[in-house]
Amino acid sequence: MTITLGPLLQSVNSPEDLKKIPREKLHEFCEQLRQYIIDVVSVHGGHFAASLGVVELTTALHYVYNAPYDQLVWDVGHQAYGHKIITGRRDQFVTNRKYNGLSGFPKRSESEYDAFGVGHSSTSISAALGMAIAAKYKGEEDRKVVAIIGDGSMTAGMAFEAMNHAGVANTNLLIILNDNGIGIDPNVGALKEYLTDITTSRTYNKLKDDIWNALGKLPVGNKFTRSMMHKLAESVKGLVNSSSNLFEALKIRYFGPIDGHNITKLIDTLNDLKDIPGPKLLHVITTKGKGYALAEKDQTKWHAPGTFDKVTGEIYKKKFDTPQPPKYQDVFGKTIIELAKQNDKIFAVTPAMPSGSSLKYMMEEMPDRAFDVGICEQHAATLSAGLATQGLRVFCHMYSTFMQRAYDQVVHDIAIQKLPVVLCIDRAGLVGDDGPTHHGCYDIAYFRCIPNMIISAPMNESELRNLMYTAQLESTQMPFVIRYPRGEGVMPQWQTPMQEVPIGKGRKLKDGRDIAILSLGHPGNFAAAAIRDVKQDGIDPAHYDMRFAKPLDEELLHEALSKYEKIITVEDGTVVGGFGSAVLEFMAAHGYKNDIRILGIPDRIVEHGTPKELHHECGYDAAGIADAIRQMMDVKVSLMS
């Protein structure tokens, strides 16, 4: 498909170019920007609905404010595609989320217009407040700072911590609450009901508008100040809608709600708010997926649909003639229902990822035993701990990168108390296009140093089922981590009978003669392919699937270290403090002097790309493992041009 630029969009290479467009033509610019996002994402993939919903808001922000001097801080960054296009990256946008291309999220090293790097939710208000405090300290009274946060991100405790500080910090911070009623999945909880109450209170909104219209016609003199007008309007808010006082109670002046797709209204409102001192919140109502009917109708499906036919809406999926392995997340989602039907003590918790975790199936079938708690990872962990104190077997599901936010709760509330919460860590390892904010690099290392933890990783779907079965048994009395990667497994026929796995016990997959491969988790499949590859060189490696990073299978380690002089460990986690480090510690404790190579994620930030590209870059795909085997065996490798 040929991607063409509208004439107004073609003229904009920076926010300064945008400001040259007459106001009456901005709605045309917005349509051209929206269409360009649709065209590019349909062909190249990426996050979709979120950026469509903020086209007018993004345009208004860059039209009114003087970025990059004025700081625009986006939350999460799913919605920042329009921002990237306006700020000089239009022609590079086709490389978005591709290897060596643009990041899918705002990134400070990519552009001076990206005031803060993001990927996780709910950081924008804290970061923007820090910038506003710094501007005040440096005497930059004309510098404006704006945080743009969605109602889904507003559910996280960090956002409220930041607002609690912002209310007394006396800075010119503007918080824009982009309210579209959905994050990735539909929002849940009391905050959702509160925002709905504000936006649907017809009496309040009509009376507020009538009051302001009337005040606007009064001959305002010295005795009737803007402050008095504000107090009168606020008293109306309190009379008509008591819940509208939440932000005001935090000493943040509340404005809105206003239509987030009315570009003229947005520009006028933002210009007015520039002149009002102190912390402020503007409540903007938008539609996620705006301008693409299918995305408006099914916002979860169109959050990041992959490539698609923009005319018919057909989302392109690979088609195969034979059965294919399922995604690990779906194995989890279907298996937990099987287990829950057998064990009425099983509960499940996820922080805002019911679709991504496939916990949605249990939530539909057993809604009283499976919970989405919103973007509240800390709460999810401690809620699980509370349930576990009452004898329930709780599966707490989080992505590896999001589990980092619940670390204290895992230590303080789960591990110290030896509560048998099952921590299912999805998206472990390199996740691909989302890049460094979403890679699951560190969980083996950060869990391994905590006492009372069991840390496991399945090599395939059957092993995942067996580990889940083992974790829910009454005999398992410690916190139990099961980590698995994003994407497909290796077993089309995956619904195997479940059986108990002895905790801390691995398995020898293949005996050998020359060298031993110790793998943890899914990369064991890469190791198996590498072993087949080096067979042509006459090399015969042994292969051990260790299953557990903690406790280690000491019997298998003694066998491998005693029998094989050369050892390679393979994992999809950081090589610093991970599974390979655990093997080194074991060797040091028992006086082994083997020649060892640790393969995994290196001690640096790994950028975005497909998982296949990143595994190869980091050297632990099948080819990288085979090369490491040949090097350790001192086999000469001839490179073909």
Side-chain angles (χ1 to χ4, degrees):
M1 185 188 81
T2 301
I3 298 173
T4 58
L5 293 171
L8 291 174
L9 180 58
Q10 194 169 14
S11 71
V12 173
N13 295 297
S14 69
E16 289 305 309
D17 292 334
L18 177 66
K19 291 176 173 64
K20 297 173 185 176
I21 297 177
R23 279 179 51 141
E24 62 271 17
K25 287 186 173 291
L26 285 176
H27 68 282
E28 295 179 40
F29 172 82
C30 290
E31 287 308 308
Q32 292 174 20
L33 177 57
R34 180 173 278 114
Q35 189 58 54
Y36 184 60
I37 294 172
I38 293 171
D39 287 349
V40 173
V41 176
S42 69
V43 174
H44 297 280
H47 294 107
F48 184 60
S51 285
L52 296 185
V54 295
V55 163
E56 288 82 9
L57 177 59
T58 304
T59 301
L61 285 166
H62 279 294
Y63 201 77
V64 170
Y65 290 95
N66 181 30
Y69 181 73
D70 292 335
Q71 314 260 260
L72 305 179
V73 183
W74 299 90
D75 207 277
V76 185
H78 292 145
Q79 74 279 41
Y81 288 2
H83 161 78
K84 285 180 177 261
I85 293 165
I86 289 172
T87 55
R89 288 165 278 182
R90 182 195 62 218
D91 296 339
Q92 296 172 274
F93 186 55
V94 293
T95 72
N96 188 54
R97 290 164 55 87
K98 294 183 178 180
Y99 194 57
N100 293 326
L102 292 180
S103 168
F105 300 94
K107 184 176 180 181
R108 280 171 53 83
S109 61
E110 184 177 289
S111 172
E112 63 179 342
Y113 292 98
D114 292 355
F116 200 72
V118 289
H120 291 188
S121 82
S122 317
T123 62
S124 60
I125 303 175
S126 296
L129 179 60
M131 296 171 189
I133 291 172
K136 181 180 178 182
Y137 174 75
K138 294 190 290 184
E140 297 167 344
E141 299 295 336
D142 60 333
R143 172 171 275 184
K144 308 298 181 184
V145 183
V146 183
I148 306 100
I149 184 169
D151 51 322
S153 295
M154 193 67 91
T155 63
M158 185 175 178
F160 285 89
E161 294 169 17
M163 286 192 292
N164 183 54
H165 184 193
V168 297
N170 192 28
T171 63
N172 292 328
L173 172 67
L174 172 62
I175 302 165
I176 294 180
L177 173 55
N178 173 35
D179 182 359
N180 58 26
I182 191 167
I184 295 176
D185 288 287
N187 293 330
V188 296
L191 181 65
K192 174 188 175 183
E193 303 302 324
Y194 154 73
L195 293 175
T196 300
D197 188 25
I198 291 180
T199 58
T200 59
S201 177
R202 295 181 181 178
T203 304
Y204 158 63
N205 283 297
K206 184 177 187 306
L207 189 53
K208 183 196 72 171
D209 290 341
D210 289 347
I211 288 288
W212 278 104
N213 289 336
L215 290 174
K217 296 175 183 178
L218 289 176
V220 179
N222 292 332
K223 294 183 179 180
F224 198 88
T225 64
R226 175 184 287 180
S227 174
M228 294 169 63
M229 293 167 68
H230 177 67
K231 288 178 181 178
L232 177 57
E234 293 311 304
S235 67
V236 172
K237 287 184 186 180
L239 286 170
V240 177
N241 186 356
S242 60
S243 68
S244 68
N245 290 322
L246 173 62
F247 299 112
E248 299 282 346
L250 293 170
K251 301 187 183 301
I252 297 173
R253 294 178 65 180
Y254 172 86
F255 298 89
I258 68 169
D259 180 0
H261 299 298
N262 185 331
I263 185 69
T264 301
K265 178 69 172 177
L266 284 168
I267 288 172
D268 288 341
T269 303
L270 291 174
N271 275 318
D272 288 343
L273 293 177
K274 284 176 71 174
D275 298 327
I276 298 176
K280 305 164 287 292
L281 184 142
L282 174 62
H283 188 177
V284 175
I285 308 299
T286 62
T287 299
K288 189 172 182 179
K290 178 72 173 177
Y292 192 75
L294 293 172
E296 293 183 34
K297 184 178 180 181
D298 191 342
Q299 297 165 328
T300 298
K301 177 179 179 180
W302 289 89
H303 172 73
T307 59
F308 60 94
D309 185 317
K310 72 168 188 175
V311 177
T312 66
E314 177 190 359
I315 297 174
Y316 300 128
K317 301 288 186 183
K318 291 182 179 178
K319 297 180 180 179
F320 301 93
D321 296 329
T322 58
Q324 295 297 302
K327 294 180 179 179
Y328 277 102
Q329 69 188 56
D330 290 333
V331 175
F332 163 82
K334 300 295 177 60
T335 301
I336 196 171
I337 293 176
E338 287 184 57
L339 291 170
K341 287 178 177 177
Q342 300 169 18
N343 183 351
D344 61 7
K345 293 182 179 180
I346 288 178
F347 272 60
V349 175
T350 189
M353 300 305 295
S355 294
S357 68
S358 292
L359 192 62
K360 62 181 180 180
Y361 304 121
M362 185 178 178
M363 291 173 62
E364 292 166 358
E365 192 164 338
M366 304 175 179
D368 58 334
R369 294 167 63 187
F371 306 107
D372 172 10
V373 300
I375 304 178
C376 306
E377 295 88 355
Q378 294 169 299
H379 168 59
T382 304
L383 172 68
S384 300
L387 289 165
T389 65
Q390 303 306 300
L392 299 176
R393 312 297 290 194
V394 188
F395 285 75
C396 181
H397 183 289
M398 292 189 210
Y399 293 2
S400 173
T401 186
F402 299 151
M403 179 59 79
Q404 293 163 189
R405 314 185 90 180
Y407 190 66
D408 179 62
Q409 285 66 33
V410 172
V411 176
H412 184 275
D413 301 332
I414 296 176
I416 289 176
Q417 302 187 94
K418 297 184 181 179
L419 292 171
V421 174
V422 186
L423 300 171
C424 290
I425 309 302
D426 199 343
R427 271 63 167 181
L430 297 170
V431 300
D433 303 335
D434 281 340
T437 58
H438 283 62
H439 292 326
C441 305
Y442 311 113
D443 54 88
I444 299 172
Y446 67 61
F447 281 134
R448 199 170 68 81
C449 63
I450 305 173
N452 300 328
M453 300 292 286
I454 300 166
I455 306 169
S456 67
M459 184 171 161
N460 55 41
E461 297 90 325
S462 181
E463 286 287 289
L464 173 56
R465 287 166 59 80
N466 292 340
L467 288 168
M468 290 177 67
Y469 174 79
T470 303
Q472 56 87 47
L473 294 174
E474 289 296 331
S475 57
T476 301
Q477 290 297 314
M478 293 287 194
F480 199 121
V481 174
I482 307 173
R483 70 185 304 271
Y484 47 91
R486 179 184 185 183
E488 290 77 19
V490 294
M491 297 177 62
Q493 306 301 324
W494 60 273
Q495 288 183 297
T496 54
M498 287 178 275
Q499 54 188 345
E500 183 175 359
V501 175
I503 292 173
K505 289 297 180 180
R507 54 184 185 154
K508 180 163 64 175
L509 299 179
K510 179 186 177 299
D511 219 333
R513 183 182 65 247
D514 304 309
I515 187 171
I517 313 298
L518 310 179
S519 65
L520 180 72
H522 183 79
N525 298 291
F526 307 158
I531 290 170
R532 293 191 294 270
D533 185 19
V534 299
K535 185 178 180 181
Q536 63 186 341
D537 298 311
I539 304 173
D540 182 23
H543 186 192
Y544 296 84
D545 170 25
M546 297 302 293
R547 279 191 182 134
F548 293 89
K550 187 175 184 177
L552 291 169
D553 187 333
E554 297 192 0
E555 183 179 349
L556 273 188
L557 283 178
H558 279 304
E559 176 185 318
L561 292 167
S562 299
K563 187 174 181 181
Y564 302 98
E565 179 186 347
K566 300 177 186 297
I567 303 289
I568 293 176
T569 69
V570 185
E571 62 195 295
D572 54 351
T574 175
V575 298
V576 178
F579 165 68
S581 293
V583 174
L584 280 176
E585 292 164 13
F586 179 87
M587 290 172 59
H590 294 87
Y592 286 107
K593 305 293 184 182
N594 304 61
D595 185 7
I596 184 169
R597 178 82 60 89
I598 297 175
L599 301 183
I601 300 172
D603 185 25
R604 60 176 172 80
I605 300 300
V606 179
E607 298 295 344
H608 60 280
T610 66
K612 185 176 181 180
E613 289 168 331
L614 299 181
H615 293 155
H616 184 70
E617 176 187 313
C618 293
Y620 67 90
D621 63 349
I625 297 169
D627 285 347
I629 293 171
R630 292 185 179 104
Q631 289 168 15
M632 291 195 77
M633 296 302 298
D634 202 23
V635 174
K636 295 289 189 292
V637 180
S638 60
L639 299 177
M640 298 182 67
S641 59

